[in-house]
Amino acid sequence: MEKISYKKYSKKEFLKILENDGILFVETNLGNNCIISKKDIADFIILESNRTGHKSDMSFFMPGISGPVITTFGCFLNRANPVFRDEIINRLVLLQTTDTKPKNVKIFGTDLFYKMVDNGEISNNISNFDKLYKKYA
């Protein structure tokens, strides 16, 4: 296993991603939970798989969509929303089959996210759902 520790997004960075890029909630079979930027999924899959010695199965969830949009077995896709799969597959295959190194990925803690919801810093309503997530529903 590689020694990888992820840097964390600041609240300000996270709020910008939440509004403009979209997020994914990540759950692993090893009990790890975090939030990543939607655009970082391919790199995160490879990094997390390497970090856990390819023992981590992951599920990725989008706000407002029931069920995971992607599940993995190690660094390989198990099930995937077809639209989302098309968006990430080229990068994922490149990382799996070449010496291309994954980019550094930052995460945001789920505990802090839910605390922000409870404190009213962010809303449970997804104001930009149509822009960021509707095509996956």
Side-chain angles (χ1 to χ4, degrees):
M1 284 189 248
E2 290 186 26
K3 291 280 185 184
I4 298 173
S5 61
Y6 299 107
K7 291 186 178 185
K8 302 219 177 186
Y9 284 113
S10 68
K11 281 186 182 181
K12 185 178 179 180
E13 289 173 315
F14 177 73
L15 291 172
K16 185 177 178 183
I17 291 166
L18 185 64
E19 184 66 30
N20 299 316
D21 300 324
I23 61 169
L24 293 168
F25 293 89
V26 182
E27 292 180 5
T28 74
N29 64 321
L30 302 175
N32 301 315
N33 297 303
C34 65
I35 300 170
I36 63 170
S37 174
K38 193 170 71 170
K39 66 181 179 184
D40 290 338
I41 185 170
D43 295 271
F44 183 83
I45 288 169
I46 298 299
L47 288 169
E48 187 64 8
S49 184
N50 290 341
R51 185 183 78 81
T52 61
H54 303 279
K55 293 181 173 129
S56 182
D57 298 339
M58 296 168 261
S59 296
F60 297 87
F61 300 87
M62 288 182 176
I65 297 177
S66 64
V69 290
I70 299 243
T71 60
T72 69
F73 178 75
C75 66
F76 301 102
L77 296 182
N78 184 24
R79 291 189 179 182
N81 173 292
V83 175
F84 199 37
R85 181 195 175 282
D86 286 347
E87 291 177 8
I88 69 164
I89 196 66
N90 289 339
R91 175 75 179 160
L92 185 59
V93 169
L94 177 75
L95 292 169
Q96 291 169 334
T97 60
T98 69
D99 289 336
T100 302
K101 300 285 185 208
K103 65 183 178 180
N104 292 331
V105 172
K106 287 184 174 182
I107 64 171
F108 194 76
T110 54
D111 291 344
L112 186 53
F113 173 82
Y114 292 118
K115 186 183 239 183
M116 290 171 69
V117 170
D118 290 344
N119 292 338
E121 294 176 68
I122 55 177
S123 173
N124 252 345
N125 296 329
I126 307 161
S127 61
N128 53 358
F129 179 85
D130 287 352
K131 174 184 164 192
L132 299 176
Y133 306 106
K134 186 175 182 179
K135 64 183 174 182
Y136 309 110

